[in-house]
Amino acid sequence: LLTTSQHGQDNVMTLSWHMMMEFEPPLIACVVSEGDFSFKALNETGQCVLAVPPLELAKTVVAIGNCSGCDTDKFEVFGLAKRPARRVAAPLIEAAIANLECEVRDRRLVADYDLFVLEAVSAWIDPALANAKTIHHRGLGVFVTDGRELKLDSKMR
Amino acid sequence: LLTTSQHGQDNVMTLSWHMMMEFEPPLIACVVSEGDFSFKALNETGQCVLAVPPLELAKTVVAIGNCSGCDTDKFEVFGLAKRPARRVAAPLIEAAIANLECEVRDRRLVADYDLFVLEAVSAWIDPALANAKTIHHRGLGVFVTDGRELKLDSKMR
């Protein structure tokens, strides 16, 4: 999930396409389509929160993706509690496993691909959800939940 | 996994950071560190293959990440069969669930972030591996395998 806030109006959207880009500073790339209502707020404020939803929130995640902030207060409609962030105006999602407060660092690929480079400037985790299962979007409403964990001796971070 | 080929030398590396960027044309972003032996081949030839490994290949995937193509023929050492691609010089991985032949389309973020924009110009799947489990890298050698599948009524692709 990706939250934004502009002119006192909070919004939340469902985000499929994102990846880590760097450890230090912690950079994340994400694609927010110009057609999404959140695009303008993200682009103009340069701020957002990335929230990692647990499996229990899967239906809400899809419902959030099926409507638009242009005519819906999604926090109210879906009973999604929010909390103030520390470094950005966009709100944290209380039910999330983790919340990353982010600032836009690079817009060079926005015009051509709607790709934003974000830096996580503050990070929250909910220790009570440390073992919560995450969900992976495969497209067309199909998700895969976490299965067995595998620990291998790796030099990779 | 990401394969390259330069001056008749094939190589394969383990790639954690990648994401979809666009459906049409099919664009994929990936981060290949300048410190990786594959960086030079990818950057200079502008070609690679992205191969999606099944769970059965997890140990090999990590072993590939733990050594370098500068002094190792990983295909030989790990008994990894390859096949010729159709549109690029980089080889396909026979044991992969899917192979995507890719060409580099945008290098604007390479200098600052080692981020390449790729276009998949040809794609292969192995129907025999249609139900194979994939693995998701969580960092430090920890992977999560696919669990239960969830199908929700989504307007999102």
Side-chain angles (χ1 to χ4, degrees), chain A residues 37-147:
Chain A
F37 186 67
S38 300
F39 178 90
K40 187 172 166 285
L42 173 61
N43 199 34
E44 291 180 3
T45 66
Q47 297 186 337
C48 67
V49 167
L50 296 180
V52 181
L55 171 57
E56 289 66 27
L57 228 57
K59 278 184 189 174
T60 305
V61 166
V62 171
I64 287 169
N66 283 346
C67 67
S68 170
C70 75
D71 56 12
T72 309
D73 180 340
K74 303 192 200 177
F75 296 98
E76 202 180 297
V77 169
F78 302 114
L80 209 58
K82 52 190 178 180
R83 287 217 193 170
R86 195 155 30 184
R87 300 272 303 269
V88 301
L92 309 177
I93 304 279
E94 195 170 287
I97 298 171
N99 281 278
L100 303 177
E101 302 183 23
C102 297
E103 290 177 359
V104 175
R105 284 288 174 258
D106 198 310
R107 287 180 169 83
R108 269 178 286 175
L109 298 194
V110 171
D112 285 344
Y113 311 109
D114 300 334
L115 185 150
F116 291 86
V117 175
L118 308 175
E119 178 178 346
V121 293
S122 190
W124 305 78
I125 56 158
D126 183 344
L129 296 178
N131 295 314
K133 282 186 188 300
T134 60
I135 50 175
H136 303 266
H137 190 219
R138 295 201 146 173
L140 302 171
V142 176
F143 293 80
V144 172
T145 64
D146 294 339

Side-chain angles (χ1 to χ4, degrees), chain A residues 66 108 112 145 155 157, chain B residues 66 108 112 138 140 147 155:
Chain A
N66 283 346
R108 269 178 286 175
D112 285 344
T145 64
K155 292 181 194 166
R157 292 173 73 183
Chain B
N66 283 346
R108 269 178 286 175
D112 285 344
R138 293 200 149 174
L140 301 171
K155 292 180 195 168

Side-chain angles (χ1 to χ4, degrees), chain B residues 31-79:
Chain B
V31 176
V32 174
S33 167
E34 206 181 336
D36 290 324
F37 186 68
S38 301
F39 178 91
K40 187 173 167 285
L42 173 60
N43 198 34
E44 292 180 2
T45 66
Q47 297 186 337
C48 67
V49 167
L50 296 180
V52 181
L55 171 58
E56 287 67 29
L57 229 57
K59 279 183 188 174
T60 305
V61 166
V62 171
I64 287 169
N66 283 346
C67 67
S68 171
C70 74
D71 56 11
T72 310
D73 180 341
K74 302 193 201 178
F75 296 97
E76 201 180 297
V77 169
F78 301 115

